[in-house]
Coordinates of all heavy atoms in Angstrom, one line a residue:
H2 N 25.6 7.7 1.4 CA 25.3 6.3 1.5 C 24.3 5.9 0.5 O 23.3 6.5 0.3 CB 24.7 6.1 2.9 CG 25.1 4.9 3.6 ND1 26.4 4.6 3.9 CD2 24.4 3.8 4.0 CE1 26.5 3.4 4.5 NE2 25.3 2.9 4.6
D3 N 24.6 4.8 -0.2 CA 23.6 4.2 -1.1 C 22.6 3.3 -0.3 O 23.0 2.7 0.6 CB 24.3 3.4 -2.2 CG 25.1 4.2 -3.2 OD1 24.8 5.4 -3.3 OD2 26.1 3.7 -3.7
H4 N 21.4 3.3 -0.7 CA 20.3 2.6 0.0 C 19.8 1.4 -0.9 O 19.9 1.5 -2.1 CB 19.2 3.5 0.4 CG 19.5 4.6 1.3 ND1 19.9 4.4 2.6 CD2 19.6 5.9 1.0 CE1 20.2 5.6 3.1 NE2 20.0 6.5 2.2
V5 N 19.3 0.4 -0.2 CA 18.7 -0.7 -0.9 C 17.2 -0.8 -0.4 O 16.9 -0.6 0.8 CB 19.4 -2.1 -0.6 CG1 18.6 -3.2 -1.1 CG2 20.8 -2.0 -1.1
Y6 N 16.3 -1.0 -1.4 CA 14.9 -1.0 -1.1 C 14.3 -2.3 -1.5 O 14.8 -3.0 -2.4 CB 14.2 0.2 -1.8 CG 14.6 1.5 -1.4 CD1 15.7 2.2 -2.0 CD2 14.0 2.2 -0.3 CE1 16.1 3.4 -1.6 CE2 14.4 3.4 0.1 CZ 15.5 4.0 -0.6 OH 15.9 5.3 -0.1
K7 N 13.2 -2.7 -0.8 CA 12.5 -3.9 -1.1 C 11.0 -3.4 -1.3 O 10.6 -2.5 -0.8 CB 12.5 -4.9 0.1 CG 11.8 -6.2 -0.2 CD 12.1 -7.2 0.9 CE 11.3 -8.5 0.7 NZ 11.8 -9.3 -0.4
L8 N 10.4 -4.2 -2.2 CA 9.0 -3.9 -2.5 C 8.1 -5.0 -2.0 O 8.4 -6.2 -2.1 CB 8.8 -3.8 -4.0 CG 9.4 -2.7 -4.8 CD1 9.3 -2.8 -6.3 CD2 8.9 -1.4 -4.3
I9 N 6.9 -4.6 -1.5 CA 5.8 -5.6 -1.2 C 4.6 -5.1 -2.0 O 4.5 -3.9 -2.3 CB 5.6 -5.7 0.3 CG1 5.2 -4.4 0.9 CG2 6.7 -6.4 1.0 CD1 4.8 -4.4 2.4
V34 N 6.1 -3.6 9.2 CA 7.3 -3.4 8.3 C 7.9 -2.0 8.7 O 7.2 -1.0 8.8 CB 6.9 -3.3 6.8 CG1 8.1 -3.0 5.9 CG2 6.2 -4.6 6.4
K35 N 9.3 -2.1 8.9 CA 10.0 -0.8 9.3 C 10.4 -0.1 8.0 O 10.5 -0.7 7.0 CB 11.2 -1.2 10.1 CG 10.9 -1.8 11.5 CD 12.1 -1.9 12.3 CE 13.2 -2.8 11.6 NZ 14.4 -3.0 12.4
N36 N 10.7 1.2 8.2 CA 11.3 2.0 7.1 C 10.5 2.2 5.9 O 11.0 2.2 4.8 CB 12.7 1.5 6.8 CG 13.6 1.5 8.0 OD1 13.6 2.4 8.8 ND2 14.4 0.4 8.1
L37 N 9.1 2.2 6.0 CA 8.3 2.5 4.8 C 8.7 3.8 4.2 O 8.9 4.8 4.9 CB 6.8 2.5 5.2 CG 6.2 1.2 5.7 CD1 4.8 1.4 6.1 CD2 6.4 0.1 4.7
R38 N 8.8 3.9 2.9 CA 9.3 5.1 2.2 C 8.4 5.7 1.2 O 8.2 6.9 1.0 CB 10.7 4.9 1.6 CG 11.8 4.7 2.6 CD 12.0 5.9 3.4 NE 13.2 5.8 4.2 CZ 13.2 5.7 5.5 NH1 12.0 5.7 6.2 NH2 14.3 5.6 6.2
W39 N 7.7 4.8 0.4 CA 6.9 5.3 -0.7 C 5.9 4.2 -1.1 O 6.0 3.1 -0.7 CB 7.7 5.7 -1.9 CG 8.7 4.7 -2.4 CD1 9.9 4.5 -2.0 CD2 8.4 3.6 -3.3 NE1 10.5 3.4 -2.6 CE2 9.5 2.9 -3.5 CE3 7.3 3.3 -4.1 CZ2 9.6 1.8 -4.3 CZ3 7.3 2.2 -4.9 CH2 8.5 1.5 -5.0
I63 N 4.5 -1.1 -2.2 CA 5.0 -0.3 -1.1 C 6.5 -0.5 -1.0 O 6.9 -1.7 -0.9 CB 4.3 -0.6 0.2 CG1 2.8 -0.3 0.0 CG2 4.9 0.2 1.4 CD1 2.0 -0.8 1.2
G64 N 7.3 0.5 -1.0 CA 8.8 0.4 -0.9 C 9.2 0.7 0.5 O 8.8 1.6 1.1
F65 N 10.2 -0.1 1.0 CA 10.8 0.2 2.3 C 12.3 0.0 2.2 O 12.8 -0.8 1.4 CB 10.2 -0.6 3.4 CG 10.3 -2.1 3.3 CD1 11.3 -2.8 3.9 CD2 9.4 -2.8 2.6 CE1 11.4 -4.1 3.8 CE2 9.5 -4.2 2.4 CZ 10.5 -4.8 3.1
K66 N 13.0 0.8 3.0 CA 14.5 0.7 3.0 C 14.9 -0.5 3.8 O 14.5 -0.7 4.9 CB 15.1 2.0 3.6 CG 16.6 2.1 3.5 CD 17.1 3.4 3.9 CE 17.1 3.7 5.3 NZ 18.2 3.0 6.1
V67 N 15.9 -1.3 3.3 CA 16.4 -2.4 3.9 C 17.5 -1.9 4.9 O 18.3 -1.1 4.5 CB 17.0 -3.4 2.9 CG1 17.7 -4.6 3.7 CG2 16.0 -3.9 2.0
D68 N 17.4 -2.3 6.2 CA 18.4 -1.9 7.2 C 19.8 -2.3 6.8 O 20.0 -3.4 6.3 CB 18.1 -2.5 8.5 CG 16.9 -1.8 9.3 OD1 16.6 -0.7 9.0 OD2 16.3 -2.5 10.1
D69 N 20.7 -1.4 7.1 CA 22.2 -1.7 7.0 C 22.5 -2.6 8.1 O 22.1 -2.4 9.3 CB 23.0 -0.4 7.1 CG 22.8 0.5 5.9 OD1 22.4 0.0 4.8 OD2 22.9 1.7 6.0
E70 N 23.4 -3.6 7.9 CA 23.9 -4.5 8.9 C 25.2 -4.0 9.4 O 26.0 -3.4 8.7 CB 24.0 -5.9 8.4 CG 22.7 -6.5 8.0 CD 22.8 -8.0 7.8 OE1 23.7 -8.6 8.5 OE2 22.1 -8.6 7.0
G71 N 25.4 -4.2 10.7 CA 26.7 -3.9 11.3 C 26.7 -2.5 11.8 O 27.5 -1.8 12.1

Side-chain angles (χ1 to χ4, degrees):
H2 218 60
D3 293 330
H4 300 290
V5 174
Y6 295 90
K7 182 169 177 73
L8 294 174
I9 57 175
V34 180
K35 296 187 301 182
N36 301 319
L37 296 177
R38 292 293 188 252
W39 54 269
I63 301 172
F65 62 95
K66 187 171 77 77
V67 176
D68 282 336
D69 292 333
E70 294 196 30

